Amino acid sequence: MSYCTIEEVRGMIKSDALNVIIGDEYIEDELEREAKIVPLVEEAIGDADGEIDGYLAKRYPVPVSPTPKVINKFSKDIAVYNLFSRAGIDEGEKEKNFLNRYKAAVRFLENVAKGVIDIGASDNTKRAATGFQVNSNPRLFSRNSMKGM
């Protein structure tokens, strides 16, 4: 299960940027270019989902299903960043926007992991955060039972 689709990520990338992402070779044929970008997008989505799960696993069972809208958004942002970072992000140009969106996604996910932000999925905090469960006998001594002693 992925938090976003190939079509969603591909829709965020302008066609003139595809050759930059694919690599050194220029591919003029649109169908050939699309055929080469799909496996790269799939890999970028897989990496994004793995990164997201790494943060969410501290508070939620992963993968989170159904996917909250905010996780879908950040999955797309991280996947697009992963694609552009293959060729290097030029911080002086429009690619800086992808870096900024990636950093915002990471900040958000860090806050989810800390419990500052709730994504609205079923919270499994105690099990996920501690990894163990404590069972004990009923309390034997209390202020009331110890009165007068």
Side-chain angles (χ1 to χ4, degrees):
M1 183 201 116
S2 292
Y3 294 126
C4 65
T5 66
I6 294 169
E7 294 77 22
E8 288 174 321
V9 173
R10 176 57 189 91
M12 295 177 68
I13 303 167
K14 293 182 180 179
S15 293
D16 62 346
L18 293 181
N19 282 316
V20 172
I21 294 169
I22 291 170
D24 295 333
E25 61 183 299
Y26 179 78
I27 302 168
E28 191 166 332
D29 181 72
E30 188 177 327
L31 293 176
E32 184 182 346
R33 206 171 42 222
E34 291 295 331
K36 287 203 175 217
I37 197 69
V38 168
L40 299 176
V41 172
E42 287 176 335
E43 181 181 345
I45 290 171
D47 291 345
D49 291 348
E51 187 171 351
I52 290 168
D53 284 347
Y55 287 103
L56 297 183
K58 294 187 178 245
R59 302 202 55 85
Y60 303 96
V62 291
V64 176
S65 181
T67 302
K69 187 77 174 150
V70 68
I71 297 302
N72 171 262
K73 178 206 179 305
F74 286 131
S75 179
K76 292 183 290 190
D77 289 345
I78 293 170
V80 169
Y81 170 79
N82 289 343
L83 286 168
F84 277 95
S85 67
R86 292 172 44 85
I89 298 284
D90 183 355
E91 290 196 34
E93 296 197 17
K94 62 184 174 187
E95 282 111 14
K96 185 165 185 175
N97 183 43
F98 302 124
L99 177 62
N100 290 339
R101 291 175 78 157
Y102 172 76
K103 287 179 179 180
V106 169
R107 275 191 309 273
F108 175 85
L109 293 167
E110 286 172 343
N111 283 327
V112 170
K114 291 177 191 172
V116 175
I117 297 174
D118 181 12
I119 60 170
S122 61
D123 193 342
N124 205 10
T125 306
K126 290 184 175 102
R127 185 184 67 78
T130 61
F132 67 92
Q133 182 178 355
V134 175
N135 292 322
S136 64
N137 294 326
R139 187 172 175 178
L140 296 176
F141 302 104
S142 67
R143 288 183 184 196
N144 289 335
S145 69
M146 297 298 292
K147 277 188 180 172
M149 294 196 157

